[in-house]
Every structure is written in structure tokens, then in C-alpha cells.
Amino acid sequence: MSFFEALVKYAPDLLRGLYLTIELTLISAIVGFVFAVPLVLAVIYGNKFFKNISKAYITVVRGTPLLVQLFFVYYGLPSIGINVTPFTAALIGFLLNSAAYQAEYMKGGFLSITTEQMEAAYSIGMSKWQSIKEIIFPQAFRFSIPALSNEMIYLIKYTSIAYIIQVEELFAQAKYFASDTFYHLEIFLLIGAVYLILVYGVTWSSDWLEEKLKIPGFDVSHLK
Amino acid sequence: MSDKKEKLLQIKNVKKSFGKNTVLDGINLDVYKGDVIVIIGPSGTGKSTLLRCINMLNPPDKGNILIDGTDITGKGVDLHTERLKVGMVFQHFALFKHLKAIDNVALGLIKVKKMKKKKAYEKALRELDRVGLADHKEKYPAELSGGQQQRVGIARALAMDPLLMLFDEPTSALDPELIGEVLMVMKKLAEDGMTMLCVTHEMGFAKSVSNEIVFMEEGNIVEKGEPDQMFNNPKHKRTKSFLHKISELYGGEES
Amino acid sequence: MLEGITFIIDNLPLLLKGAWVAVQITVLSILLGMVLGIFIAFFRLYGPKPVQKLLKFYEWVLRGLPILVILFLIYFGLPTVGLNIPAFISVILGLGLRSSAYQSQIYRGAILSIGAEQMEAGLSIGLSRIRTLFYIIIPQAVRLSLPGFTNEFTIVLKDSPLAYALGIAELLKQGRNIIVTSFRPFLVYLTCAIIYFLLFHFFYYFFRKITEKFKVPGYLINK
């Protein structure tokens, strides 16, 4: 069988793998963001207790390898009675990981906003959380867009690691293909090209998003 | 002249230190409705700190501040309600950078005073018009000159209908040719009867618009009095020498 | 609880062997990345235009591909065209090549931010281009690169467990070996995580110390 004939035969599997990769990426990025917001708020504005817990969480997650975290979730949870599918384990691992990194990226955005903005908000009678919601967060978010798109790119690439814990995403499918057909070089080159296209897509989209959200005077290009 | 004038602000023996630095060393000041008070003094003498105490951005360590009879330094005070009584204009404008001019002014009305959007924007437009910037309402802060930004800042503070306005070196960060437009707005405000407390070096403004000048040095009020008296016949030597130096640098009548 | 600790202590030698492999992988890959990275940075700045374009493409590809794809291309793909590379070398090659793409950016950025004025100043006091490069530009570039380099080091360290996928007996694999005979995944992986964490912080503070030693008062690093 030629490479292309094999491709046709395995196309459904490969496409399914692609779908899982995209699903894993998007859910991890978005839910990770949702978790990251309270984390970063706790680190910057929280009281001692929440601040320290959040800081500890971020430090631990950022100080250990992603694969170890995945193993911990995938192999560790069943041993204390919680049974999860490979996909779920991967999802949990990725989003817990992503939340920590995204919180750290957003921290830079928050810190770069001057205290004067907060004071001005107070001076027109806003409360602390109102000021954060209306004034600080919209600005911090715009500053964080480059870093967040980098995180998305990171996730696209690193979902391939889920192969090691038996998730049948794109990379795993490629490996199965290679094991069956022995076209190792060809298939991994092809998959590589697919990943590059996905990464390029994210880069293009985030540039587009930045343009759309652009506000005169808000120059984030120096943060790229 | 002031037999039954309202006492809007009372500063009683306010003290504040930053670490080992005593910045305010027992300040006493009464402000009546309609007063336009200019606070002058060498840099670092706590003038800005005093203003920040009045709206509790930096609460005093000791002493009391009463706004319209309410002791805002006391316990159980809802600062957010009290802050509405005091408007603040910042040295570096502090406009909300992600909002257009009109949104900057309307935000407080919508979110704090809970006005309906239509009414809020109508009022915001009126305030912008008051400072002469109605035409620029759709512009972002980065698209405005320094003088224009500061005027928007004034409009934003005015929109909350404060009892008194604090000006923290409002023109110090402006290029010389832009200072005039801001001072003009402030002068008009004073003529309309707004109670104002200004920290500034603009002596022309002080001479022509204020009804009291307060000279602070090293955390204390050295002398205060009416402009005529302060400029022509100050009681303290330090007052005299400071005013002399300042008038040389900044002096002159304002338009 | 106590039993758990003795269990870990019994298996520590095996785990530490794995940790040592992880360190080796990291250091060798970083070194490869550094040598290549410097070359690439240099040629992207001063080389002929076609070479610059080629290197830009190289960087784009190596930063856009998942590391597993790179590793598998080398270890599984190359044999199909006759090039058999052992697993350990494959890992170093893969991580090193990828790191070179990131490191070249770091060095390029550092050199660019130093600015033409420094070169002009060197020339104006009579130094040749090469000597200015050596005495003026490079010392500054090294300092500016340190934060990025430290970051890259930790990234490679955190990716070293991927050698597991090529069957190499680094820390994670040793952990797995222990688990398949003892069925205590939670404890073992926790220990692995702790060891990585300690390694990570050790190197982080090691490079911090170096950055401190090299610091020049008032010289802005980054920003």
C-alpha cells in the first residue's frame, strides 16, 4: 500500500484525532482562563490566606513538568478511588496547568496598570471590586492578549503529550498509523505540517483579535 | 461676609507619617462653602498628602476630617458614599485609558449612582460641554492633548456633583501652552461658586481667583490669609521668601 | 505514613539515577541549543539575505512543531532513510535543535537591544569591529540574555521527561518501573514531582546567583 492509499484508509481516525486535539486545546485554554482569573486576582488583591494559597499553587504547577502532572492525574486518581477516562485525565491535567500559567501571564498585565487608575476609580466613589471589574480588568486583559495567545499555541503543541496517557488525539493516531504502515517519516512530517498550520491559525487569529480590540494609546506590541 | 456660611470641610489636627518621615504634623483647616483655597509650599511638604487624606485615599494616622458634618475618619463610615461628596482632579489626569471621554465621565454615574444610561450620557455631555470638550466626546485619552485630558478629568469629577473639589497640582504635568485652558475652566468653576481646594504653583491663579492662600512647609501650616495680605504683607519671613521665589518662576496674571 | 516514607527511601537510589539522567539530558540539550543558537543569531543578524530567510524558516518550524513530533521524526523517521540514531542522542538532538530556535531569539534580541551606538562608540575609540564585538557588545549581550536563558533552561528541564516516550530510563520511567511492581502511583509520582520541583528551583536559583554576580549597577535587564 502506498503512503497516500494508507492515508485515505486511516483518514477517519486521523481526523478524529485532530478533532480531539482541537477539543482538548480549546477546553483547556478556556476553562484554564476561567480558573486563572480568580487566581490572579487573589495573588494581587486577595487577603493573605488566598494570596498565599494561589501563589503556592502557581509556583508548584509551574515548577514541575507537565507530563508528571498528567501521570499524577491519570495514574494517581484511580489509586485513591477516582476513575477517569484518559481524555478526562488529560483535560484535568491540562487545564490545571494552563490556569497557573495564564494567571502568571495576566499578572504582568495587571501590574503594569498604574495605581493612579485605581485611585481615580475610588475618587468617583467606586468600591474595590467595582474598580477592578470596570477599570483594571479591561485594561489588564488587553495587555495579556499576546501572552494568552502564546499559551494557546503551547497547548496545541503539548496536547500531543496526551498520547503518553493513551488519549487518542492526533499524535497518537499518527503513531498508530506509523506502527501499522511503517511510514514513520511521512506521517510525522504530515502531522508536523498540520500542527504548524494550527499554530499559524492561532497566531493569525490573535493578531486579528488585537486589532479589533485596539484602543488608541494601548500599545501592546512591546509585550510580544 | 461669612456669618452663616456652611462649613463644608473641617481638618482637625491631622497627622501622617510615611515610615520615619512625618509628612503632616498637625494640620488644622476649615473650609467654607464657596471658598477657593490655594495651598502652596515647597515640594514634599505634604500638600498632596493632605488632599489625599481628605478623600481618604491615604487615611491620616491621627486627627479627624469632617465633611459636611460627618467624621469620615471615624468607624463605620461608608467611604464610597462619602467620597462622592469630594471630587478629585489628579496631577497625571488618571483618565480611564480604555474608555472614551464621554464614557469616562458617564461611568461613575452609571455604576456608582446607578443612573439610567440615557440620563447618564446626557449629564456627561453637559459636563463635557461645561469644560468645552463636547466635540471630543468620542475620543480616547491617548487621542487628547494633556490639557484636554485634564479637562475631561475635571468633568468626570464634576459629574458626581461633589460638595467640594480637590485639585492636586492639576497643571504641573502640562506643557506651558496647555496650562491656560485648564486654569480657565477652574476659574469659571470658582466663579460659579464651587468650593475648591487647590495645590498648585500657579500664582496668577492664586492671586486672582482664590480667597485664601495657605502656605505649608515641613508638614505644618506656616501662615494663611487672603491673597492680598499674603503677597503684599506676609507675616512670616519664610512665607515671604517662598512667595518671592515662586512668583519669579511662575508669576504673572492669568488670562 | 511512616511506611510510605521508608518505601520512598528504599527506592530513592533508583529515582536519583533517573534524576541524574534528566539533568544530563537537560544540560546537554541546552549546550547544543546554545552553540547552535549563537550561530543562528549571528547569521540572522549579519548573514546574507537568503541565509537569513532560511534561518527564519528554521526557527518558525522548530518553534511550531510539538517536541514529540520532533523527537519521533528523529528517532523513528530517520531510520526509514537509513539514519539510525540511538534514543539518548535523539532526545538531545531533538531538544537541542528546538532550544536553538528559542535561544537564537534570545541572543538576537539581546544584541539588537544593545544598539548601534555601542558599536559606533567602540569604533570611534579605535577598536576594530571584531574587538568591539568581543569587548563591548558580547559582555552586554550576555547579561541581557541571562533571564531568557534561565527561562529556557527550566523549559528544557520540564520537557526532559518526554524522553520517556523514547524509552529512556529518566526519572519518570524509573518511577513507572517502581509503580508496576508496587502499585503506589500516588506516592511515587508525588515524589517524582517533588524531585523535579527541587531540581527546577536549584537551577533557577543557580542562574539567579550567576545573574547577580554579573550584575552591573543601573543596567536594565529586560524591559
Side-chain angles (χ1 to χ4, degrees):
Chain A
M1 198 182 352
S2 82
F3 175 62
F4 291 103
E5 287 169 336
L7 258 188
V8 170
K9 179 168 173 225
Y10 281 82
D13 292 327
L14 290 168
L15 286 173
R16 231 182 328 120
L18 178 61
Y19 176 75
L20 274 188
T21 293
I22 296 178
E23 204 185 344
L24 209 50
T25 304
L26 282 177
I27 300 180
S28 304
I30 296 174
V31 180
F33 178 79
V34 170
F35 282 7
V37 171
L39 271 177
V40 69
L41 290 179
V43 165
I44 300 186
Y45 300 108
N47 61 37
K48 249 190 155 189
F49 176 70
F50 285 116
K51 186 183 198 164
N52 286 328
I53 287 197
S54 304
K55 271 183 152 183
Y57 174 81
I58 294 174
T59 308
V60 166
V61 170
R62 292 182 73 226
T64 47
L66 175 59
L67 187 57
V68 173
Q69 293 167 11
L70 288 180
F71 269 40
F72 196 66
V73 174
Y74 183 60
Y75 293 112
L77 285 187
S79 76
I80 59 173
I82 306 173
N83 282 302
V84 284
T85 65
F87 183 78
T88 314
L91 203 55
I92 295 175
F94 280 122
L95 63 89
L96 286 179
N97 180 286
S98 192
Y101 280 92
Q102 291 194 50
E104 190 64 19
Y105 296 147
M106 288 202 282
K107 187 170 91 166
F110 275 89
L111 291 179
S112 68
I113 298 172
T114 64
T115 44
E116 225 183 29
Q117 292 284 301
M118 198 82 170
E119 286 184 344
Y122 279 177
S123 76
I124 57 170
M126 286 191 166
S127 70
K128 177 171 166 185
W129 291 107
Q130 232 182 355
S131 312
I132 294 175
K133 175 170 171 257
E134 299 294 333
I135 308 299
I136 308 289
F137 193 76
Q139 298 184 47
F141 181 70
R142 280 177 179 81
F143 280 128
S144 308
I145 290 179
L148 295 182
S149 82
N150 280 341
E151 176 66 11
M152 186 75 95
I153 291 174
Y154 178 89
L155 281 171
I156 290 178
K157 296 191 289 177
Y158 278 81
T159 50
S160 54
I161 296 184
Y163 149 78
I164 302 181
I165 58 170
Q166 331 293 353
V167 177
E168 301 191 341
E169 42 68 63
L170 183 59
F171 186 83
Q173 298 291 0
K175 184 75 177 86
Y176 300 152
F177 178 97
S179 304
D180 288 348
T181 67
F182 299 104
Y183 285 115
H184 290 274
L185 192 61
E186 293 85 342
I187 189 66
F188 284 118
L189 282 175
L190 178 64
I191 297 300
V194 172
Y195 277 109
L196 285 175
I197 294 174
L198 287 174
V199 166
Y200 185 73
V202 171
T203 310
W204 185 88
S205 307
S206 90
D207 284 345
W208 174 85
L209 185 67
E210 255 191 84
E211 263 307 303
K212 278 221 101 180
L213 290 181
K214 199 157 95 159
I215 285 178
F218 245 72
D219 187 16
V220 293
S221 54
H222 64 286
L223 290 169
K224 289 232 173 88
Chain B
M1 204 171 79
S2 58
D3 44 288
K4 276 298 193 206
K5 268 227 288 216
E6 273 176 74
K7 198 189 285 191
L8 284 186
L9 174 64
Q10 252 184 304
I11 302 172
K12 281 183 175 174
N13 208 17
V14 158
K15 295 191 183 172
K16 183 148 187 82
S17 307
F18 289 109
K20 290 207 201 101
N21 241 340
T22 306
V23 178
L24 295 174
D25 196 16
I27 304 286
N28 288 287
L29 188 63
D30 289 338
V31 179
Y32 293 89
K33 184 168 174 169
D35 278 352
V36 176
I37 301 181
V38 169
I39 304 178
I40 60 177
S43 293
T45 49
K47 313 194 295 289
S48 288
T49 313
L50 180 62
L51 286 189
R52 283 184 146 73
C53 284
I54 296 174
N55 66 352
M56 295 292 269
L57 285 180
N58 286 121
D61 297 332
K62 287 203 178 74
N64 302 87
I65 298 182
L66 287 87
I67 297 184
D68 202 22
T70 315
D71 185 354
I72 64 170
T73 50
K75 287 199 196 295
V77 174
D78 181 10
L79 277 179
H80 304 295
T81 321
E82 298 305 320
R83 280 203 184 112
L84 291 176
K85 298 183 186 160
V86 181
M88 182 141 193
V89 177
F90 297 83
Q91 185 176 2
H92 296 285
F93 332 135
L95 290 188
F96 303 134
K97 296 187 185 160
H98 61 302
L99 298 175
K100 300 181 193 165
I102 184 112
D103 295 318
N104 258 275
V105 181
L107 186 71
L109 297 171
I110 298 174
K111 298 286 175 181
V112 181
K113 290 205 155 174
K114 313 274 190 224
M115 263 191 186
K116 287 222 175 278
K117 279 201 176 163
K118 189 159 176 281
K119 274 193 80 184
Y121 279 100
E122 281 170 9
K123 181 159 167 61
L125 193 55
R126 280 201 302 274
E127 297 299 343
L128 275 180
D129 194 39
R130 200 166 157 189
V131 300
L133 286 174
D135 290 336
H136 297 270
K137 61 183 168 69
E138 296 292 321
K139 296 226 174 101
Y140 286 98
E143 296 175 304
L144 300 169
S145 75
Q148 291 167 328
Q149 287 186 54
Q150 192 59 298
R151 287 190 276 154
V152 174
I154 296 176
R156 177 178 63 182
L158 286 176
M160 308 306 279
D161 289 324
L163 293 176
L164 69 125
M165 291 273 282
L166 304 173
F167 290 83
D168 185 4
E169 302 215 32
T171 56
S172 299
L174 291 176
D175 288 335
E177 67 267 18
L178 300 173
I179 295 180
E181 63 193 65
V182 174
L183 288 180
M184 229 165 57
V185 168
M186 288 168 68
K187 183 170 178 180
K188 188 155 169 294
L189 220 57
E191 286 166 1
D192 290 342
M194 174 61 78
T195 314
M196 296 161 60
L197 213 59
C198 312
V199 172
T200 182
H201 296 299
E202 295 296 327
M203 291 299 111
F205 176 83
K207 268 192 228 172
S208 60
V209 181
S210 72
N211 67 314
E212 186 174 356
I213 295 185
V214 172
F215 175 53
M216 272 179 74
E217 198 180 40
E218 290 179 10
N220 286 304
I221 295 182
V222 173
E223 188 176 347
K224 63 180 189 236
E226 286 174 23
D228 274 337
Q229 182 247 306
M230 291 287 276
F231 276 100
N232 299 325
N233 206 8
K235 295 202 198 100
H236 284 87
K237 237 174 50 171
R238 278 139 72 197
T239 315
K240 191 167 184 190
S241 66
F242 179 79
L243 282 174
H244 187 68
K245 263 190 270 174
I246 274 288
S247 293
E248 275 183 357
L249 272 176
Y250 292 90
E253 277 294 309
E254 274 309 322
S255 51
Chain C
M1 174 68 185
L2 203 58
E3 191 270 323
I5 297 183
T6 50
F7 170 76
I8 292 296
I9 296 180
D10 285 340
N11 286 290
L12 213 50
L14 211 57
L15 289 175
L16 288 179
K17 240 175 77 171
W20 172 237
V21 173
V23 172
Q24 282 178 301
I25 293 175
T26 307
V27 172
L28 290 171
S29 307
I30 279 284
L31 281 174
L32 177 60
M34 182 157 70
V35 170
L36 278 180
I38 292 177
F39 263 107
I40 297 173
F42 190 76
F43 278 104
R44 271 205 71 183
L45 282 171
Y46 305 119
K49 278 275 168 19
V51 173
Q52 283 191 28
K53 279 205 150 96
L54 186 66
L55 290 176
K56 188 167 177 187
F57 181 70
Y58 168 87
E59 274 182 28
W60 182 72
V61 168
L62 263 93
R63 295 173 73 222
L65 285 177
I67 181 67
L68 272 186
V69 172
I70 299 175
L71 291 180
F72 273 41
L73 273 173
I74 297 176
Y75 186 62
F76 289 109
L78 288 183
T80 65
V81 291
L83 209 56
N84 280 296
I85 303 183
F88 190 74
I89 310 279
S90 297
V91 172
I92 308 239
L93 210 51
L95 284 174
L97 286 175
R98 188 194 65 165
S99 190
S100 73
Y102 283 97
Q103 289 195 49
S104 85
Q105 295 243 324
I106 295 171
Y107 303 139
R108 216 158 46 90
I111 295 179
L112 282 174
S113 67
I114 288 174
E117 281 176 348
Q118 295 287 308
M119 178 60 94
E120 288 175 354
L123 292 174
S124 72
I125 58 169
L127 290 172
S128 70
R129 285 202 105 94
I130 300 279
R131 297 187 78 201
T132 312
L133 198 66
F134 205 64
Y135 289 114
I136 314 288
I137 309 281
I138 290 184
Q140 294 185 49
V142 166
R143 283 173 179 78
L144 284 174
S145 310
L146 276 172
F149 181 81
T150 308
N151 194 41
E152 177 64 14
F153 192 94
T154 62
I155 290 175
V156 174
L157 179 62
K158 283 188 279 180
D159 274 348
S160 65
L162 296 177
Y164 176 95
L166 297 192
I168 294 181
E170 47 73 57
L171 178 51
L172 206 55
K173 185 119 207 294
Q174 296 288 21
R176 189 108 191 90
N177 293 339
I178 297 172
I179 287 168
V180 294
T181 55
S182 67
F183 303 105
R184 306 185 71 153
F186 199 82
L187 195 55
V188 175
Y189 286 132
L190 184 62
T191 312
C192 289
I194 292 175
I195 296 179
Y196 275 113
F197 188 76
L198 290 172
L199 280 174
F200 172 84
H201 279 278
F202 168 75
F203 281 110
Y204 181 74
Y205 282 112
F206 174 70
F207 284 112
R208 261 264 288 268
K209 276 263 123 104
I210 292 189
T211 312
E212 286 296 311
K213 272 212 101 185
F214 273 89
K215 209 155 89 156
V216 170
Y219 199 59
L220 290 162
I221 303 220
N222 258 351
K223 296 252 162 50

